[in-house]
Amino acid sequence: MDDFGIYAVFGTKSPPQRLLSAESSCRASIAVPPSARQVVLFSSGPWGERICGNAELNNAEQIPITIGKLTPYNKCLSWEQWEEETWTDGVTLNVTLEGGNLDTIAPLTARELNGKRKRMSEEEEDDARNKVENCQDEENLCPNKTSVREGRGQKKGGQKLLSSVGNVTKGQDTEAQAMVEKGSSQSIVKKKGRPSKTPKQSTPLLGPSRRWGQTLCPIDAQTAILIGGQGARMQFCKDPIWKLCTEDLSWLAAETLAEGPTPEGRIGHTSVYDPDSQRIFVFGGSKNRKWFNDVHILDTRSWKWTMVEAQGKVPPLSYHSCSLFRGELFVLGGVFPRPNPEPDGCSGSLHIFDPHLSIWYQPIVTGKSPSPRSGHSACMMQERKIYVFGGWDTPVCYNDMYMLDLGLMEFSAVKTTGKAPSPRSWHGSAVLSDTKFLIHGGYNGNKALCDAFIFDIDTNTWTEVKMPQFSVPRAGHSIITMAMPVSQQFTAEEEDGGSGSVCKTLLMFGGGDNEGSFYSDLTTIAVEEILSHV
């Protein structure tokens, strides 16, 4: 017997309410009580052929307040009121189920919410309560302080991407959140005095929705994996995982391709690929008030996610850096939560994760270490030197440079020459060659930047690079380098005699301009062309 169901709990004193079941509708809409300060949505029972459940909390104008997704591997969602928000009489919870029984539509009403509904049996209700209690415990392992904070002189409701460390404010661009994953449809909401809207099928996405704070991780010469991100109005992307094929620059929605518990939606995390084990390691990040110190691993051979139960201590971190050295993850800096009324703090520590032992530890490091910071970059050069640039520790923004020698485990400040980048954080960085890396864009505490610089580790010299591809201000974007087919970079005449060859290419994706615009564009530039400007 299929006892599948999706349940909602409003507040801490309300019993679980069954929204969808195996025999009922594929969509439901229910009013959220104005007194509820927390909404928990969870599933119970076998998913069978069901793929996912799209969930939205919408305001009276049917604009999403927040969104989420239930899957067979992520069976619980939890939302709390933001500090500057309150639920109103017009807030509704809309749930759309993909797969399974999609024949009927029977939205729930506010009257059913107030008690005039079919009651679950005592056994079902006890089981559902136990599941939601366990789910709430899992959802609140780490407190999160990424709610909006108003700076002095800042108008309430200002439309900015970045306002302070770890904080993101609402954006004006609503196009991104209108995009949903392939096959999803708009929820049905029945308003008083108005007929119910006819459900509309959304257009399948050909690529990722607009976002910032994501990671783009290359896994071989033809493939990169996009994970996470956040779009307009502080909405975490409904399409969090994509696969990029560089042969034709095509995207494939990949959230349901892999088995196992996928990482919860987040920003400010890191993704690192280990070519020896062919695994992607995802660490940290934040989501609304929740901070993460979990490690998720995607095995690219079996396409299966696992979550590591690690020993040792590492704080919940966001906007840190993570580098791979001899199979271990070197995590530096980042912002971490502090209890109110203290502001969130920045870390200056180095933590190492050993995947073989599943343990975190802190090494003994000598020399002059960087001051605490977040939103910095870290480039691994010549397989044993990590160059750390920039970052932010409220209210200071940095443009200094440090180098960690992994052979000696010694930090040193790098004295540079040439025109250095201005202070910034959340910039993009990429290694171009054995001796050169690129810094582009970022946020300086006031605006997003659009300049680009190359640093030469042999001469410790900065050189500014002016190219039209770098002319759009953006922060929180992703920059990587990959070997791509030569046909993607050259004309047909130039391809003659070079058939089957590849060209090292820089790829730049996403980000935002701190004025309410978010991007989903993918820019490619031959590394040779960039280096020719030095």
Side-chain angles (χ1 to χ4, degrees):
M1 179 178 180
D2 190 350
D3 57 351
F4 174 82
I6 292 181
Y7 300 83
V9 176
F10 302 100
T12 58
K13 299 181 179 179
S14 171
Q17 315 234 3
R18 191 166 190 164
L19 304 186
L20 299 175
S21 65
E23 297 80 17
S24 65
S25 65
C26 65
R27 302 180 185 90
S29 175
I30 189 168
V32 177
S35 59
R37 299 188 62 84
Q38 184 183 50
V39 175
V40 177
L41 189 70
F42 67 98
S43 70
S44 176
W47 277 71
E49 297 181 356
R50 302 171 184 90
I51 300 173
C52 64
N54 297 308
E56 290 185 357
L57 279 177
N58 292 340
N59 62 17
E61 287 74 35
Q62 294 310 302
I63 298 175
I65 299 172
T66 188
I67 58 179
K69 183 187 293 290
L70 294 176
T71 71
Y73 310 107
N74 183 30
K75 300 181 180 181
C76 181
L77 297 171
S78 177
W79 300 291
E80 292 184 11
Q81 290 188 35
W82 297 332
E83 292 180 0
E84 77 282 4
E85 296 279 356
T86 57
W87 306 131
T88 66
D89 291 336
V91 172
T92 54
L93 170 62
N94 301 319
V95 183
T96 304
L97 186 64
E98 296 182 27
N101 178 14
L102 302 179
D103 297 330
T104 58
I105 299 175
L108 301 179
T109 64
R111 178 175 295 179
E112 291 174 314
L113 172 65
N114 293 330
K116 295 184 179 181
R117 59 181 177 84
K118 183 178 180 180
R119 300 290 296 176
M120 293 185 290
S121 68
E122 293 183 3
E123 184 176 350
E124 282 182 306
E125 193 162 334
D126 289 341
D127 179 69
R129 285 188 182 184
N130 290 334
K131 285 181 177 292
V132 74
E133 286 173 2
N134 293 335
C135 195
Q136 285 175 309
D137 290 340
E138 294 174 359
E139 285 288 306
N140 293 284
L141 289 174
C142 310
N144 188 309
K145 292 297 175 185
T146 55
S147 57
V148 178
R149 294 178 179 174
E150 296 172 334
R152 294 181 180 179
Q154 180 181 344
K155 295 182 180 180
K156 187 174 183 179
Q159 308 295 322
K160 294 289 184 181
L161 167 67
L162 311 167
S163 59
S164 64
V165 170
N167 298 334
V168 185
T169 60
K170 297 180 180 178
Q172 294 173 328
D173 188 353
T174 59
E175 180 181 350
Q177 66 201 34
M179 298 181 176
V180 293
E181 242 188 306
K182 182 178 181 180
S184 62
S185 57
Q186 296 180 353
S187 301
I188 298 175
V189 181
K190 187 174 183 179
K191 294 184 178 181
K192 184 176 181 181
R194 295 182 181 181
S196 298
K197 295 181 180 180
T198 302
K200 299 179 181 179
Q201 189 72 20
S202 61
T203 303
L205 289 178
L206 298 178
S209 59
R210 304 181 183 190
R211 67 191 67 197
W212 83 287
Q214 71 288 329
T215 59
L216 186 60
C217 183
I219 63 174
D220 56 41
Q222 294 82 33
T223 313
I225 304 298
L226 177 69
I227 300 174
Q230 186 183 61
R233 295 182 59 84
M234 296 180 68
Q235 305 305 306
F236 286 83
C237 299
K238 280 187 174 181
D239 53 328
I241 303 177
W242 287 81
K243 180 188 290 188
L244 171 66
C245 177
T246 61
E247 290 182 340
D248 57 1
L249 297 180
S250 62
W251 291 97
L252 174 66
E255 183 180 10
T256 59
L257 293 183
E259 299 179 352
T262 59
E264 188 175 345
R266 61 190 67 192
I267 56 176
H269 53 288
T270 51
S271 299
V272 177
Y273 178 69
D274 179 10
D276 292 334
S277 64
Q278 299 182 37
R279 297 185 297 174
I280 295 177
F281 294 87
V282 180
F283 170 72
S286 59
K287 178 182 181 182
N288 296 330
R289 294 186 181 187
K290 186 174 183 179
W291 297 66
F292 302 97
N293 64 348
D294 51 2
V295 178
H296 289 260
I297 300 177
L298 175 61
D299 189 320
T300 62
R301 295 166 298 185
S302 62
W303 284 104
K304 183 176 181 180
W305 284 100
T306 57
M307 183 173 173
V308 178
E309 295 183 2
Q311 303 297 316
K313 291 184 179 180
V314 64
L317 292 171
S318 190
Y319 310 108
H320 51 279
S321 64
C322 184
S323 305
L324 182 73
F325 178 66
R326 294 180 178 174
E328 294 184 321
L329 307 183
F330 284 63
V331 173
L332 176 66
V335 63
F336 59 88
R338 284 176 173 165
N340 284 329
E342 291 187 73
D344 299 331
C346 281
S347 169
S349 300
L350 177 66
H351 295 83
I352 299 179
F353 177 70
D354 183 344
H356 301 291
L357 301 176
S358 295
I359 188 171
W360 286 97
Y361 66 95
Q362 286 189 265
I364 297 175
V365 183
T366 61
K368 182 177 176 58
S369 302
S371 58
R373 64 191 62 203
S374 66
H376 54 284
S377 59
C379 292
M380 174 72 77
M381 304 297 295
Q382 299 176 347
E383 299 184 350
R384 75 181 195 94
K385 298 177 181 179
I386 298 178
Y387 282 79
V388 179
F389 171 77
W392 177 291
D393 187 8
T394 305
V396 182
C397 209
Y398 299 104
N399 68 339
D400 51 3
M401 178 91 73
Y402 288 84
M403 188 270 288
L404 173 61
D405 188 316
L406 296 172
L408 303 174
M409 288 307 295
E410 179 181 20
F411 267 113
S412 60
V414 180
K415 295 182 180 179
T416 67
T417 60
K419 181 183 178 181
S422 59
R424 66 192 64 203
S425 62
W426 297 298
H427 47 276
S429 65
V431 176
L432 303 180
S433 69
D434 288 341
T435 61
K436 295 179 177 64
F437 63 84
L438 175 81
I439 297 294
H440 171 258
Y443 177 68
N444 66 3
N446 180 49
K447 63 180 181 179
L449 305 172
C450 61
D451 48 6
F453 298 82
I454 291 177
F455 186 74
D456 188 325
I457 67 172
D458 280 347
T459 61
N460 289 341
T461 302
W462 285 107
T463 304
E464 185 172 10
V465 177
K466 294 185 178 181
M467 299 178 67
Q469 295 93 330
F470 296 133
S471 61
V472 176
R474 64 180 79 206
H477 51 303
S478 301
I479 300 181
I480 60 174
T481 55
M482 298 180 66
M484 288 177 53
V486 69
S487 59
Q488 293 292 337
Q489 297 298 325
F490 300 99
T491 63
E493 292 78 8
E494 291 173 311
E495 287 180 34
D496 293 339
S499 177
S501 61
V502 296
C503 173
K504 189 173 183 180
T505 307
L506 181 139
L507 296 89
M508 180 167 58
F509 170 81
D513 68 351
N514 196 42
E515 298 295 335
S517 294
F518 297 82
Y519 307 119
S520 61
D521 57 329
L522 180 66
T523 302
T524 63
I525 317 170
V527 169
E528 183 179 358
E529 181 183 355
I530 300 173
L531 293 176
S532 68
H533 287 72
V534 178

